[in-house]
Amino acid sequence: MCSVLGLFVQQSDPRLRDANVQVYIANHVTQFDHNVINLLTSCNTPALNGAPGFICWSRGFMELGVTGSRAELVDSLKAYSSHRENPPLLLFPEEAATNGRAGLLRFSSWPFSILDVVQPVALQVQRPLITVSVADSSWITELLWTFFVPFTVYQVRWMPSVPRRAEELSEDFALRVQELLAMELGVVSTRLTAADKAEHMKRLRHTSLLRFAPASSQPLAARPRMPSSLPGVGSFAPEDVRITAMAQRVKEVLPHVPLDVIRTDLAQTNCVDTTIANLLEGRVPFFPESEAGADLPAPSTSQAAAASGIQGSVAVPTSKPATKQFAKSPVERHLSLQERKRALYDYARR
């Protein structure tokens, strides 16, 4: 199978592998890391995601029959490790694959609550011309690319076993092993989690859909409205034009927020809804514009026509105008925030 897929596995001194250790901890680079390490030593990796059955078995995962919480999974793995005749466990605390070149995702603590001694395994993968791991790609896609590429080199380095210190929490134990593994690989030990990666990929997919969707297929409220009074719009870069359009939409909802503050936050979030939430919830500090009108803007002609066609004879509720000045009392500021939220909700409903 290695010759068919073009897999070439190298390992450091095999004598460094501790035969008494029941839990191996490795960084996650590709969808086939557990298969490669299993070629070097017998070990089992529990199936955390995906449906059980033939596919799970054929990929080399161990089915535990646990579909509940992480606590039930840990209890099941503890019972498995209590039998010394069972092969060691191979766990990936990152819970998501990375390219292995920039940093490690934050280690989950549950793999370090099974036993008090673990052995880290440093894994590096190299491949000519094509990256070894692409975010958001399925294991079938990665398998096909492995078929296509002439060869893929896996380098496995066994590190000394790491015992738990006296009264050390599982979170601290995980962080200490993560730092050791990152130092061995020469990468950064980050605090980003697998959930952060999933959220990042969701935003990238959302942005790409908006970017490549035709203008006629987008809803009226989702189309960027370029103000006609902006000078030199034709000389803007496409990214600047998009940010400016998004900033104008936020400005219509929150007229008291300075435009440069809106543009700065949009450059980071790349999302109108996220920027509005950041401004409303106080995550982005700013000084309100005293000269700006606090009333919400009236809908455009096309929006008014659409609203009249949908609502018919239903009266449009009027929103309470937000305060024009920054209140001195925390209570007044909180009330002002609630008023702006209600006004935003009313505007969105209209």
Side-chain angles (χ1 to χ4, degrees):
M1 182 58 99
C2 287
S3 61
V4 171
L5 294 175
L7 300 181
F8 182 72
V9 184
Q10 296 177 334
Q11 67 171 330
S12 61
D13 192 352
R15 293 174 297 181
L16 295 176
R17 189 176 72 245
D18 194 343
N20 297 321
V21 171
Q22 289 294 106
V23 176
Y24 297 141
I25 299 295
N27 58 305
H28 203 1
V29 182
T30 70
Q31 302 286 346
F32 315 106
D33 296 341
H34 61 287
N35 303 111
V36 170
I37 298 180
N38 200 16
L39 294 174
L40 305 177
T41 180
S42 179
C43 57
N44 286 326
T45 300
L48 302 180
N49 301 310
F54 174 76
I55 298 297
C56 180
W57 169 82
S58 63
R59 293 185 61 193
F61 289 109
M62 177 181 63
E63 296 184 44
L64 295 174
V66 177
T67 59
S69 62
R70 282 288 187 262
E72 296 180 7
L73 175 63
V74 170
D75 293 339
S76 178
L77 293 179
K78 284 182 178 179
Y80 171 88
S81 301
S82 62
H83 301 282
R84 302 297 298 180
E85 64 274 9
N86 289 334
L89 291 171
L90 173 62
L91 304 177
F92 301 95
E94 291 179 285
E95 297 184 340
T98 66
N99 57 19
R101 298 193 305 266
L104 296 178
L105 296 178
R106 183 184 179 92
F107 280 10
S108 298
S109 60
W110 65 265
F112 299 88
S113 58
I114 300 174
L115 294 176
D116 291 338
V117 180
V118 300
Q119 182 168 16
V121 181
L123 183 63
Q124 289 181 318
V125 187
Q126 295 178 345
R127 176 183 291 172
L129 302 178
I130 300 175
T131 182
V132 297
S133 178
V134 177
D136 210 29
S137 65
S138 65
W139 69 271
I140 298 179
T141 305
E142 295 293 340
L143 180 62
L144 294 177
W145 277 110
T146 306
F147 271 117
F148 175 76
V149 177
F151 61 89
T152 304
V153 179
Y154 285 81
Q155 296 179 341
V156 180
R157 296 199 299 272
W158 302 95
M159 298 174 58
S161 302
V162 181
R164 184 195 299 267
R165 294 173 181 170
E167 300 182 358
E168 186 178 28
L169 299 177
S170 298
E171 291 79 6
D172 299 333
F173 191 19
L175 180 60
R176 185 159 59 91
V177 174
Q178 179 182 351
E179 295 288 347
L180 293 174
L181 199 52
M183 189 179 304
E184 177 70 20
L185 294 170
V187 297
V188 180
S189 175
T190 71
R191 295 297 174 265
L192 300 174
T193 63
D196 295 330
K197 176 191 172 183
E199 180 67 23
H200 177 67
M201 296 309 304
K202 187 194 306 181
R203 291 188 178 185
L204 287 182
R205 287 194 298 269
H206 179 70
T207 304
S208 62
L209 289 176
L210 290 180
R211 183 178 303 171
F212 294 106
S216 59
S217 66
Q218 296 184 17
L220 182 62
R223 299 181 191 174
R225 298 186 294 273
M226 291 299 300
S228 58
S229 60
L230 286 178
V233 170
S235 62
F236 281 5
E239 187 72 14
D240 294 337
V241 173
R242 189 174 59 84
I243 293 294
T244 302
M246 295 168 64
Q248 191 66 21
R249 292 166 58 187
V250 177
K251 185 70 173 177
E252 291 178 359
V253 179
L254 303 174
H256 61 285
V257 181
L259 196 58
D260 55 342
V261 175
I262 297 176
R263 289 177 59 89
T264 302
D265 192 68
L266 279 174
Q268 299 177 356
T269 63
N270 202 23
C271 178
V272 173
D273 296 334
T274 305
T275 296
I276 292 177
N278 291 341
L279 294 171
L280 285 177
E281 296 175 8
R283 288 195 287 265
V284 178
F286 65 91
F287 291 99
E289 292 180 342
S290 58
E291 68 274 6
D295 293 337
L296 288 172
S300 61
T301 304
S302 57
Q303 289 174 327
S308 62
I310 295 174
Q311 294 178 349
S313 60
V314 179
V316 177
T318 58
S319 59
K320 190 174 181 180
T323 181
K324 293 185 178 181
Q325 296 182 353
F326 190 73
K328 298 181 179 180
S329 170
V331 177
E332 295 178 359
R333 288 198 296 269
H334 180 72
L335 292 176
S336 175
L337 173 63
Q338 298 302 322
E339 292 173 1
R340 291 198 300 272
K341 281 188 176 181
R342 284 195 297 270
L344 175 61
Y345 292 149
D346 294 339
Y347 178 69
R349 292 190 184 100
R350 292 203 302 274

